[in-house]
Short mmCIF file of all heavy atoms in Angstrom, two decimals:
data_model
loop_
_atom_site.label_atom_id
_atom_site.label_comp_id
_atom_site.label_asym_id
_atom_site.label_seq_id
_atom_site.Cartn_x
_atom_site.Cartn_y
_atom_site.Cartn_z
N ALA A 4 0.84 -1.19 -0.07
CA ALA A 4 -0.01 -0.02 -0.02
C ALA A 4 0.83 1.22 0.06
O ALA A 4 0.63 2.31 -0.81
CB ALA A 4 -0.94 0.00 1.20
N ALA A 5 1.89 1.25 0.76
CA ALA A 5 2.82 2.43 0.76
C ALA A 5 3.54 2.56 -0.54
O ALA A 5 3.74 3.67 -0.98
CB ALA A 5 3.87 2.30 1.90
N ALA A 6 3.96 1.46 -1.15
CA ALA A 6 4.66 1.48 -2.43
C ALA A 6 3.71 2.15 -3.49
O ALA A 6 4.14 2.90 -4.27
CB ALA A 6 5.14 0.11 -2.88
N ILE A 7 2.55 1.59 -3.57
CA ILE A 7 1.44 2.18 -4.51
C ILE A 7 1.12 3.52 -4.32
O ILE A 7 1.14 4.39 -5.26
CB ILE A 7 0.19 1.21 -4.53
CG1 ILE A 7 0.58 -0.25 -5.10
CG2 ILE A 7 -0.89 1.79 -5.27
CD1 ILE A 7 -0.52 -1.17 -4.91
N SER A 8 0.81 3.86 -3.04
CA SER A 8 0.34 5.30 -2.78
C SER A 8 1.62 6.28 -3.12
O SER A 8 1.24 7.48 -3.45
CB SER A 8 -0.12 5.46 -1.45
OG SER A 8 0.81 5.15 -0.54
N THR A 9 2.82 5.89 -2.90
CA THR A 9 3.91 6.86 -3.01
C THR A 9 4.61 6.79 -4.32
O THR A 9 5.00 7.96 -4.84
CB THR A 9 5.03 6.48 -1.83
OG1 THR A 9 4.21 6.45 -0.59
CG2 THR A 9 6.05 7.63 -1.80
N HIS A 10 4.93 5.70 -4.81
CA HIS A 10 5.63 5.53 -6.05
C HIS A 10 5.07 5.04 -7.36
O HIS A 10 5.68 4.86 -8.36
CB HIS A 10 6.85 4.58 -5.72
CG HIS A 10 7.57 4.86 -4.43
ND1 HIS A 10 8.28 6.06 -4.40
CD2 HIS A 10 7.62 4.27 -3.30
CE1 HIS A 10 8.91 6.11 -3.04
NE2 HIS A 10 8.36 5.05 -2.39
N CYS A 11 3.88 4.65 -7.30
CA CYS A 11 3.12 4.14 -8.51
C CYS A 11 1.87 4.88 -9.00
O CYS A 11 1.29 5.64 -8.22
CB CYS A 11 2.73 2.69 -8.13
SG CYS A 11 4.05 1.66 -7.65
N LEU A 12 1.59 4.62 -10.23
CA LEU A 12 0.48 5.25 -10.95
C LEU A 12 -0.21 4.19 -11.59
O LEU A 12 0.31 3.37 -12.33
CB LEU A 12 1.00 6.27 -11.86
CG LEU A 12 -0.04 6.94 -12.84
CD1 LEU A 12 -0.98 7.95 -12.01
CD2 LEU A 12 0.80 7.68 -14.01
N ASP A 13 -1.72 4.18 -11.44
CA ASP A 13 -2.45 3.21 -12.06
C ASP A 13 -2.56 3.42 -13.44
O ASP A 13 -2.95 4.52 -14.01
CB ASP A 13 -3.85 3.12 -11.51
CG ASP A 13 -4.70 2.02 -11.90
OD1 ASP A 13 -4.22 1.20 -12.71
OD2 ASP A 13 -5.88 1.99 -11.41
N ILE A 14 -2.20 2.52 -14.37
CA ILE A 14 -2.23 2.59 -15.84
C ILE A 14 -3.18 1.49 -16.48
O ILE A 14 -2.92 1.22 -17.56
CB ILE A 14 -0.95 2.63 -16.53
CG1 ILE A 14 -0.11 1.29 -16.23
CG2 ILE A 14 -0.04 3.82 -16.11
CD1 ILE A 14 1.00 1.03 -17.05
N THR A 15 -4.11 1.00 -15.74
CA THR A 15 -4.86 -0.07 -16.08
C THR A 15 -5.66 0.23 -17.42
O THR A 15 -6.28 1.19 -17.45
CB THR A 15 -5.69 -0.57 -14.90
OG1 THR A 15 -5.04 -0.77 -13.84
CG2 THR A 15 -6.57 -1.73 -15.26
N GLU A 16 -5.68 -0.69 -18.32
CA GLU A 16 -6.45 -0.73 -19.48
C GLU A 16 -7.23 -2.03 -19.30
O GLU A 16 -6.72 -3.01 -19.76
CB GLU A 16 -5.70 -0.71 -20.65
CG GLU A 16 -4.92 0.63 -20.93
CD GLU A 16 -4.04 0.59 -22.17
OE1 GLU A 16 -4.14 -0.31 -22.87
OE2 GLU A 16 -3.18 1.58 -22.30
N PRO A 17 -8.39 -2.00 -18.77
CA PRO A 17 -9.05 -3.37 -18.45
C PRO A 17 -9.44 -4.08 -19.70
O PRO A 17 -10.05 -3.44 -20.57
CB PRO A 17 -10.32 -2.87 -17.74
CG PRO A 17 -10.41 -1.45 -17.89
CD PRO A 17 -9.08 -0.95 -18.30
N LYS A 18 -9.07 -5.36 -19.77
CA LYS A 18 -9.49 -6.23 -20.85
C LYS A 18 -10.23 -7.45 -20.36
O LYS A 18 -10.72 -8.28 -21.03
CB LYS A 18 -8.18 -6.62 -21.60
CG LYS A 18 -7.38 -5.54 -22.19
CD LYS A 18 -6.23 -5.96 -22.91
CE LYS A 18 -5.49 -4.74 -23.53
NZ LYS A 18 -4.27 -4.92 -24.14
N THR A 19 -10.05 -7.69 -19.04
CA THR A 19 -10.73 -8.79 -18.29
C THR A 19 -11.55 -8.30 -17.16
O THR A 19 -11.34 -7.06 -16.71
CB THR A 19 -9.83 -9.81 -17.94
OG1 THR A 19 -8.92 -9.28 -16.92
CG2 THR A 19 -8.95 -10.47 -19.17
N ILE A 20 -12.26 -9.17 -16.52
CA ILE A 20 -13.03 -8.76 -15.35
C ILE A 20 -12.13 -8.42 -14.16
O ILE A 20 -12.34 -7.58 -13.52
CB ILE A 20 -14.10 -9.97 -14.97
CG1 ILE A 20 -15.14 -10.03 -16.04
CG2 ILE A 20 -14.63 -9.68 -13.61
CD1 ILE A 20 -16.03 -11.23 -15.85
N ARG A 21 -11.01 -9.27 -14.13
CA ARG A 21 -10.01 -9.00 -13.11
C ARG A 21 -9.41 -7.71 -13.34
O ARG A 21 -9.08 -6.92 -12.32
CB ARG A 21 -8.95 -10.13 -13.16
CG ARG A 21 -7.71 -9.92 -12.19
CD ARG A 21 -8.15 -10.33 -10.88
NE ARG A 21 -6.91 -10.48 -10.00
CZ ARG A 21 -6.97 -9.85 -8.81
NH1 ARG A 21 -7.96 -9.39 -8.24
NH2 ARG A 21 -5.83 -9.99 -8.14
N GLY A 22 -9.24 -7.26 -14.56
CA GLY A 22 -8.56 -5.98 -14.83
C GLY A 22 -9.43 -4.83 -14.57
O GLY A 22 -8.99 -3.69 -14.33
N LEU A 23 -10.73 -5.03 -14.35
CA LEU A 23 -11.59 -4.01 -13.98
C LEU A 23 -11.52 -3.55 -12.55
O LEU A 23 -12.00 -2.55 -12.05
CB LEU A 23 -13.03 -4.28 -14.21
CG LEU A 23 -13.43 -4.60 -15.68
CD1 LEU A 23 -14.89 -5.15 -15.78
CD2 LEU A 23 -13.35 -3.22 -16.40
N GLU A 24 -10.93 -4.49 -11.71
CA GLU A 24 -10.63 -4.10 -10.28
C GLU A 24 -9.75 -3.02 -10.05
O GLU A 24 -8.70 -2.88 -10.79
CB GLU A 24 -10.20 -5.40 -9.56
CG GLU A 24 -11.23 -6.47 -9.64
CD GLU A 24 -10.66 -7.75 -8.79
OE1 GLU A 24 -9.61 -7.66 -8.15
OE2 GLU A 24 -11.18 -8.84 -8.87
N ALA A 25 -10.04 -2.12 -9.15
CA ALA A 25 -9.25 -0.97 -8.84
C ALA A 25 -7.89 -1.48 -8.34
O ALA A 25 -7.68 -2.35 -7.55
CB ALA A 25 -9.82 -0.13 -7.77
N GLY A 26 -6.80 -0.85 -8.82
CA GLY A 26 -5.44 -1.13 -8.40
C GLY A 26 -4.93 -2.54 -8.93
O GLY A 26 -4.00 -2.99 -8.25
N TYR A 27 -5.39 -2.93 -10.06
CA TYR A 27 -4.87 -4.16 -10.51
C TYR A 27 -3.50 -4.01 -11.14
O TYR A 27 -2.56 -4.90 -10.84
CB TYR A 27 -5.87 -4.78 -11.51
CG TYR A 27 -5.34 -6.17 -12.03
CD1 TYR A 27 -5.21 -7.27 -11.15
CD2 TYR A 27 -4.98 -6.35 -13.38
CE1 TYR A 27 -4.91 -8.46 -11.58
CE2 TYR A 27 -4.72 -7.59 -13.81
CZ TYR A 27 -4.55 -8.70 -12.93
OH TYR A 27 -4.19 -9.95 -13.25
N ARG A 28 -3.17 -3.12 -12.01
CA ARG A 28 -1.99 -2.82 -12.65
C ARG A 28 -1.38 -1.49 -12.31
O ARG A 28 -2.09 -0.57 -12.20
CB ARG A 28 -2.09 -2.93 -14.19
CG ARG A 28 -2.18 -4.28 -14.76
CD ARG A 28 -2.20 -4.27 -16.31
NE ARG A 28 -0.96 -3.63 -16.82
CZ ARG A 28 -1.09 -3.02 -18.00
NH1 ARG A 28 -2.16 -3.01 -18.75
NH2 ARG A 28 -0.02 -2.42 -18.52
N TRP A 29 0.00 -1.46 -12.17
CA TRP A 29 0.62 -0.23 -11.68
C TRP A 29 1.89 -0.02 -12.43
O TRP A 29 2.39 -0.88 -13.10
CB TRP A 29 0.94 -0.41 -10.24
CG TRP A 29 -0.25 -0.49 -9.41
CD1 TRP A 29 -0.83 -1.69 -9.01
CD2 TRP A 29 -1.17 0.43 -8.96
NE1 TRP A 29 -2.05 -1.36 -8.34
CE2 TRP A 29 -2.22 -0.06 -8.29
CE3 TRP A 29 -1.02 1.86 -9.02
CZ2 TRP A 29 -3.20 0.65 -7.55
CZ3 TRP A 29 -2.05 2.71 -8.38
CH2 TRP A 29 -3.12 2.02 -7.77
N SER A 30 2.28 1.24 -12.52
CA SER A 30 3.49 1.69 -13.03
C SER A 30 4.23 2.76 -12.27
O SER A 30 3.47 3.30 -11.35
CB SER A 30 3.28 2.23 -14.55
OG SER A 30 4.45 2.68 -15.06
N LEU A 31 5.46 3.04 -12.45
CA LEU A 31 6.01 4.15 -11.69
C LEU A 31 5.42 5.47 -12.13
O LEU A 31 5.25 5.57 -13.38
CB LEU A 31 7.59 4.17 -11.95
CG LEU A 31 8.32 3.15 -11.17
CD1 LEU A 31 9.83 3.36 -11.25
CD2 LEU A 31 7.99 3.18 -9.65
N SER A 32 5.19 6.30 -11.31
CA SER A 32 4.35 7.57 -11.62
C SER A 32 5.26 8.51 -12.56
O SER A 32 4.65 9.22 -13.25
CB SER A 32 3.86 8.27 -10.39
OG SER A 32 5.08 8.51 -9.59
N ASP A 33 6.56 8.32 -12.66
CA ASP A 33 7.35 9.33 -13.33
C ASP A 33 7.86 8.76 -14.66
O ASP A 33 8.82 9.36 -15.25
CB ASP A 33 8.60 9.77 -12.54
CG ASP A 33 9.57 8.65 -12.06
OD1 ASP A 33 9.05 7.57 -12.17
OD2 ASP A 33 10.49 9.01 -11.54
N LEU A 34 7.25 7.69 -15.09
CA LEU A 34 7.75 7.08 -16.42
C LEU A 34 7.24 8.03 -17.43
O LEU A 34 6.15 8.61 -17.51
CB LEU A 34 7.07 5.75 -16.66
CG LEU A 34 7.73 4.65 -15.86
CD1 LEU A 34 7.00 3.31 -16.27
CD2 LEU A 34 9.09 4.51 -16.38
N PRO A 35 8.06 8.20 -18.52
CA PRO A 35 7.63 9.06 -19.75
C PRO A 35 6.65 8.16 -20.57
O PRO A 35 6.59 7.01 -20.36
CB PRO A 35 8.84 9.23 -20.43
CG PRO A 35 9.83 8.18 -19.96
CD PRO A 35 9.51 7.89 -18.57
N ALA A 36 5.83 8.92 -21.29
CA ALA A 36 4.78 8.27 -22.06
C ALA A 36 5.52 7.21 -23.01
O ALA A 36 4.92 6.15 -23.28
CB ALA A 36 4.05 9.20 -22.78
N ARG A 37 6.59 7.56 -23.74
CA ARG A 37 7.29 6.72 -24.61
C ARG A 37 8.77 6.67 -24.18
O ARG A 37 9.30 7.56 -23.69
CB ARG A 37 7.28 7.25 -25.95
CG ARG A 37 5.96 6.97 -26.73
CD ARG A 37 5.88 7.44 -28.17
NE ARG A 37 7.18 7.25 -28.78
CZ ARG A 37 7.51 7.82 -29.93
NH1 ARG A 37 6.65 8.53 -30.64
NH2 ARG A 37 8.72 7.63 -30.57
N ARG A 38 9.23 5.44 -24.34
CA ARG A 38 10.78 5.25 -24.16
C ARG A 38 11.51 5.99 -25.30
O ARG A 38 11.16 5.78 -26.37
CB ARG A 38 11.12 3.76 -23.98
CG ARG A 38 10.36 3.21 -22.73
CD ARG A 38 10.68 1.76 -22.58
NE ARG A 38 12.14 1.56 -22.42
CZ ARG A 38 12.64 0.51 -21.99
NH1 ARG A 38 11.84 -0.56 -21.74
NH2 ARG A 38 13.92 0.31 -21.74
N ARG A 39 12.64 6.58 -24.95
CA ARG A 39 13.45 7.28 -25.81
C ARG A 39 14.54 6.19 -26.41
O ARG A 39 14.90 5.19 -25.60
CB ARG A 39 14.24 8.40 -25.28
CG ARG A 39 13.27 9.52 -24.88
CD ARG A 39 14.20 10.73 -24.51
NE ARG A 39 13.38 11.61 -23.73
CZ ARG A 39 13.84 12.64 -23.16
NH1 ARG A 39 15.11 12.90 -23.17
NH2 ARG A 39 12.98 13.45 -22.45
N ARG A 40 14.92 6.37 -27.62
CA ARG A 40 16.05 5.53 -28.16
C ARG A 40 17.38 5.99 -27.55
O ARG A 40 17.55 7.23 -27.34
CB ARG A 40 16.05 5.73 -29.65
CG ARG A 40 14.90 5.02 -30.37
CD ARG A 40 15.01 5.28 -31.79
NE ARG A 40 14.88 4.06 -32.48
CZ ARG A 40 15.04 3.96 -33.81
NH1 ARG A 40 15.22 4.98 -34.55
NH2 ARG A 40 14.93 2.74 -34.40
N PRO A 41 18.26 5.08 -27.34
CA PRO A 41 19.53 5.51 -26.76
C PRO A 41 20.31 6.29 -28.01
O PRO A 41 20.09 6.02 -29.21
CB PRO A 41 20.29 4.19 -26.48
CG PRO A 41 19.50 3.19 -27.32
CD PRO A 41 18.13 3.66 -27.48
N PRO A 42 21.10 7.25 -27.51
CA PRO A 42 21.88 7.98 -28.56
C PRO A 42 22.89 7.12 -29.35
O PRO A 42 23.47 6.16 -28.72
CB PRO A 42 22.52 9.09 -27.82
CG PRO A 42 22.47 8.71 -26.41
CD PRO A 42 21.39 7.67 -26.24
N HIS A 43 23.08 7.49 -30.62
CA HIS A 43 24.24 6.82 -31.32
C HIS A 43 25.55 7.18 -30.76
O HIS A 43 25.79 8.19 -30.10
CB HIS A 43 23.97 7.25 -32.86
CG HIS A 43 24.74 6.25 -33.70
ND1 HIS A 43 25.98 6.58 -34.20
CD2 HIS A 43 24.38 5.09 -34.32
CE1 HIS A 43 26.49 5.54 -34.93
NE2 HIS A 43 25.39 4.65 -35.08
N ARG A 44 26.52 6.31 -31.20
CA ARG A 44 27.90 6.53 -30.65
C ARG A 44 28.38 7.93 -30.97
O ARG A 44 29.16 8.54 -30.22
CB ARG A 44 28.81 5.52 -31.17
CG ARG A 44 28.67 4.18 -30.59
CD ARG A 44 29.70 3.21 -31.10
NE ARG A 44 28.99 1.95 -31.32
CZ ARG A 44 29.54 1.05 -32.09
NH1 ARG A 44 30.57 1.24 -32.76
NH2 ARG A 44 28.91 -0.14 -32.35
#
């Protein structure tokens, strides 16, 4: 509960009945929307 409330953000896209439950999937709250490619050498 402390980890979820402090460090996580709910990003659930429900596809099943289980996925409809609150707090089923989580992600870090400071993640960017898209991952960047690493710079070339």
Side-chain angles (χ1 to χ4, degrees):
I7 288 172
S8 66
T9 307
H10 307 292
C11 300
L12 174 69
D13 186 359
I14 60 164
T15 304
E16 295 174 12
K18 295 179 182 173
T19 64
I20 293 172
R21 175 80 170 134
L23 292 172
E24 294 179 14
Y27 183 65
R28 282 186 55 208
W29 299 92
S30 176
L31 285 184
S32 57
D33 60 351
L34 279 179
R37 282 181 40 187
R38 294 177 66 167
R39 295 185 196 177
R40 293 177 124 177
H43 195 265
R44 286 186 222 158

